[in-house]
Amino acid sequence: MAFEMTSVVSKLQNLSTSDHASVVSMNLFVALLCACIVIGHLLEENRWMNESITTLLIGVCTGVVILLFSGGKSSHILVFSEDLFFIYLLPPIIFNAGFQVKKKQFFKNFMIIMSFGAIGTLISCCIITFGATQAFKRMDIGPLEIGDYLAIGAIFAATDSVCTLQVLSQDETPLLYSLVFGEGVVNDATSVVLFNAIQSFDLNRLNPSIAMQFLGNFFYLFIASTLLGVLTGLLSAYIIKKLYIGRHSTDREVALMMLMAYLSYMLAELAYLSGILTVFFCGIVMSHYTWHNVTQSSRVTTKHSFATLSFVCEIFIFLYVGMDAMDIDKWKFVSDSRGTSIATSAILLGLILLGRAAFVFPLSFLSNLTKKSQHQKISFRQQVIIWWAGLMRGAVSMALAYKQFTRSGHTQLRSNAIMITSTITVVLFSTVLFGLLTKPLIRLLLPHPKHTSSMTTTEPSTPKSVIVPLLGDHRDSEADLEGHEIHRPNSLRALLSTPTHTVHRLWRKFDDSFMRPVFGGRGFVPVEPGSPSERNGHQSP
């Protein structure tokens, strides 16, 4: 009996020690997050630094300190997991991007954004895959299968839109900001969809039918993920409009919006779809319908809550990536082949440069052919900045590399260790070097950016954030035209010459006649005591 009691006490003590260590780790990490926010604020006006680079460097320095104190055993406070990234950290970032997006300008630039984000990512993936296959087979890396090479293409085709947003300024370069922001979101989604499609096929027996199935699966994932996000957003709008929960509790409707947004992501993952695409379009739909159905206090709360969650998750990711770069276990496996690891990183960086150039300049040229006005075209200098700003690689590349080449954050194979360390090197080098030089490059190539009042117009009744993405140079909705009618095209040629206004006109008629009366939105909210419709005098657009 005494022996059993001693055993129980010993287990409880071990459990208590483990819990205490976890609490200490969490305290240190939260303190580091606070330090990153404060230091980032102090360096806000610095022409070279941005918050992503600052947080990444703090993570590296922290990793070095922990490595010294632990006697070279570990550089981590917390253990990284790709599930932690994909399930908890990434959804708030992507949802907030969709929720805060300037919808009119996003869909106005939709074709060029989709061509850069989807077609461009496919081109970049193919070039990186082909180049890596040809180069790595001649090097002493280890056994890599065709699935590994295709995964490498998807991993390094994923740009880091988070860092890019902090480098570019929507005031100085509104068109560039809109294109790079939109491309970054679509690019991340496309890369993850590509990666998941690669994982679902047996690539050891390639034939034309497999290639067609792959393309079919890719488009299925893309379309199904988008539709799921739209349907979830519409469901949230319908529930809040019909029940008008805010008349009893604003907390409930805010909680319902958050949970429905997260539910859309988890449903996509459960159905093996792209959670990134789903939660992004769910955010767009919620900002168009659901956000207008809640009380004024809930609007302010949701706007700041989503932005704050996204901001904290971004800092968390960059801080951990910096600490993970000092993980001694990964570097031990490549200590006897440092030259191979450096050569692998250099080749991957070269392929990233080539792969991005292969679609930015040709697709920009094709886009310019469809523009009649010179100010609507993307100049060569702007194309260079778009190419450069998208060279940074970040957390998505890291998470996909972990998913492909490790098990529970660790690898015991030399080839996998080389790929992980090379990914870390590419992420650090591209984020720090390209990030530091982006602002000076913009000042060099665009020394006198032109500002117009129309570039900075905002929608008065849509959610705004500190960062207002996707600014455009013309107003494109009937509401914005202040009574000036958009004339119905009298020929196919006229339709093709003004596709944005024409499509938007048709959408507004459909939206006003069918969608907003059912799902709510600006001017179509419930007439309840204290509701937005009552405060606005029951006005409709």
Side-chain angles (χ1 to χ4, degrees):
M1 184 69 179
F3 175 77
E4 291 179 357
M5 288 295 296
T6 304
S7 177
V8 170
V9 170
S10 178
K11 290 180 179 180
L12 290 175
Q13 288 176 344
N14 291 336
L15 182 63
S16 177
T17 302
S18 176
D19 291 342
H20 178 73
S22 300
V23 171
V24 171
S25 298
M26 287 302 300
N27 272 279
L28 289 174
F29 204 88
V30 171
L32 285 172
L33 291 175
C34 295
C36 291
I37 293 174
V38 173
I39 296 174
H41 170 72
L42 295 176
L43 297 176
E44 181 70 25
E45 302 301 325
N46 189 285
R47 62 173 295 183
W48 298 94
M49 300 295 290
N50 63 69
E51 203 132 30
S52 299
I53 298 174
T54 303
T55 306
L56 197 63
L57 293 177
I58 291 174
V60 172
C61 295
T62 304
V64 172
V65 172
I66 297 174
L67 203 62
L68 293 175
F69 275 94
S70 65
K73 294 180 180 180
S74 175
S75 65
H76 295 130
I77 295 176
L78 302 174
V79 177
F80 179 83
S81 168
E82 59 270 16
D83 291 336
L84 171 69
F85 173 78
F86 280 109
I87 295 179
Y88 300 108
L89 299 180
L90 190 59
I93 297 173
I94 302 300
F95 175 79
N96 186 63
F99 191 75
Q100 306 287 2
V101 74
K102 302 299 291 181
K103 297 179 293 296
K104 296 175 186 175
Q105 303 306 328
F106 177 82
F107 290 104
K108 177 182 178 180
N109 300 320
F110 187 74
M111 293 307 297
I112 185 64
I113 287 173
M114 290 301 296
S115 63
F116 278 175
I119 300 174
T121 302
L122 288 171
I123 294 173
S124 179
C125 179
C126 291
I127 290 177
I128 293 173
T129 297
F130 178 78
T133 303
Q134 298 301 314
F136 294 167
K137 284 183 177 179
R138 294 181 173 88
M139 300 169 61
D140 183 25
I141 292 181
L144 291 175
E145 300 176 352
I146 181 65
D148 294 324
Y149 288 115
L150 289 171
I152 288 171
I155 289 168
F156 291 99
T159 63
D160 183 11
S161 57
V162 174
C163 188
T164 303
L165 286 180
Q166 295 176 354
V167 171
L168 292 176
S169 168
Q170 84 267 9
D171 295 325
E172 296 179 0
T173 55
L175 177 61
L176 292 179
Y177 188 90
S178 67
L179 293 179
V180 174
F181 171 82
E183 180 216 342
V185 175
V186 179
N187 168 277
D188 286 346
T190 305
S191 299
V192 176
V193 168
L194 266 177
F195 185 87
N196 291 336
I198 291 168
Q199 302 297 311
S200 63
F201 278 95
D202 182 10
L203 301 171
N204 293 321
R205 295 176 294 177
L206 288 178
N207 54 63
S209 63
I210 290 290
M212 293 302 297
Q213 290 179 23
F214 178 82
L215 288 176
N217 189 50
F218 173 78
F219 286 112
Y220 162 74
L221 289 174
F222 213 94
I223 296 172
S225 301
T226 301
L227 290 177
L228 179 59
V230 171
L231 291 175
T232 309
L234 290 177
L235 178 62
S236 70
Y238 185 80
I239 292 174
I240 290 180
K241 177 178 181 292
K242 285 298 182 182
L243 300 181
Y244 199 69
I245 301 173
R247 69 175 181 266
H248 294 147
S249 171
T250 57
D251 296 337
R252 290 176 183 173
E253 59 184 1
V254 172
L256 185 62
M257 285 185 68
M258 290 184 172
L259 292 175
M260 289 290 286
Y262 190 67
L263 178 64
S264 70
Y265 185 89
M266 297 308 297
L267 284 175
E269 294 297 313
L270 184 64
Y272 300 100
L273 300 176
S274 170
I276 292 179
L277 266 180
T278 298
V279 78
F280 176 70
F281 280 96
C282 180
I284 291 179
V285 173
M286 277 193 174
S287 69
H288 187 65
Y289 296 109
T290 314
W291 191 77
H292 295 281
N293 296 342
V294 300
T295 60
Q296 187 64 33
S297 59
S298 294
R299 294 182 187 183
V300 176
T301 303
T302 52
K303 178 186 69 174
H304 292 291
S305 297
F306 294 146
T308 301
L309 280 173
S310 174
F311 176 70
V312 172
C313 289
E314 291 169 9
I315 296 178
F316 188 105
I317 290 170
F318 280 103
L319 182 62
Y320 193 90
V321 168
M323 288 192 295
D324 192 63
M326 296 293 104
D327 187 7
I328 197 67
D329 291 333
K330 299 180 180 64
W331 296 101
K332 284 180 180 178
F333 284 94
V334 298
S335 59
D336 59 340
S337 53
R338 295 175 183 173
T340 302
S341 181
I342 294 174
T344 302
S345 303
I347 290 171
L348 289 172
L349 277 170
L351 291 173
I352 289 171
L353 293 167
L354 179 62
R356 185 158 182 83
F359 75 83
V360 168
F361 298 107
L363 293 180
S364 298
F365 173 76
L366 293 176
S367 175
N368 289 340
L369 292 179
T370 64
K371 307 293 184 183
K372 290 185 177 181
S373 177
Q374 189 65 34
H375 75 273
Q376 293 180 338
K377 296 183 178 181
I378 306 174
S379 67
F380 180 75
R381 291 187 175 188
Q382 290 175 324
Q383 294 174 33
V384 172
I385 294 174
I386 292 172
W387 167 74
W388 182 270
L391 293 174
M392 288 170 276
R393 297 297 179 265
V396 174
S397 295
M398 286 287 297
L400 293 179
Y402 269 103
K403 199 169 185 178
Q404 178 68 23
F405 296 109
T406 70
R407 296 292 181 273
S408 301
H410 300 284
T411 178
Q412 302 297 325
L413 296 177
R414 178 176 172 273
S415 58
N416 289 356
I418 289 177
M419 293 312 306
I420 292 295
T421 54
S422 298
T423 304
I424 293 172
T425 303
V426 168
V427 168
L428 288 176
F429 188 86
S430 63
T431 300
V432 175
L433 180 64
F434 299 151
L436 285 174
L437 296 179
T438 299
K439 285 184 180 179
L441 182 67
I442 292 174
R443 289 184 172 89
L444 176 65
L445 296 180
L446 302 175
H448 301 291
K450 296 180 180 180
H451 300 282
T452 63
S453 59
S454 60
M455 284 182 180
T456 56
T457 57
T458 59
E459 299 172 72
S461 54
T462 54
K464 307 175 187 66
S465 65
V466 178
I467 297 177
V468 185
L470 298 180
L471 300 174
D473 52 357
H474 290 286
R475 292 171 291 185
D476 65 335
S477 76
E478 293 177 79
D480 291 339
L481 292 175
E482 298 177 355
H484 297 285
E485 183 182 359
I486 301 175
H487 297 287
R488 183 187 301 273
N490 53 16
S491 66
L492 180 62
R493 186 173 186 178
L495 170 64
L496 296 177
S497 64
T498 58
T500 302
H501 283 179
T502 304
V503 173
H504 186 70
R505 179 182 180 277
L506 296 174
W507 162 250
R508 283 298 299 268
K509 291 182 65 176
F510 175 75
D511 194 29
D512 291 345
S513 301
F514 299 100
M515 297 297 290
R516 291 201 283 177
V518 175
F519 299 104
R522 184 172 53 191
F524 289 85
V525 292
V527 181
E528 295 283 350
S531 70
S533 59
E534 184 187 59
R535 285 191 294 273
N536 294 335
H538 313 298
Q539 294 177 352
S540 62

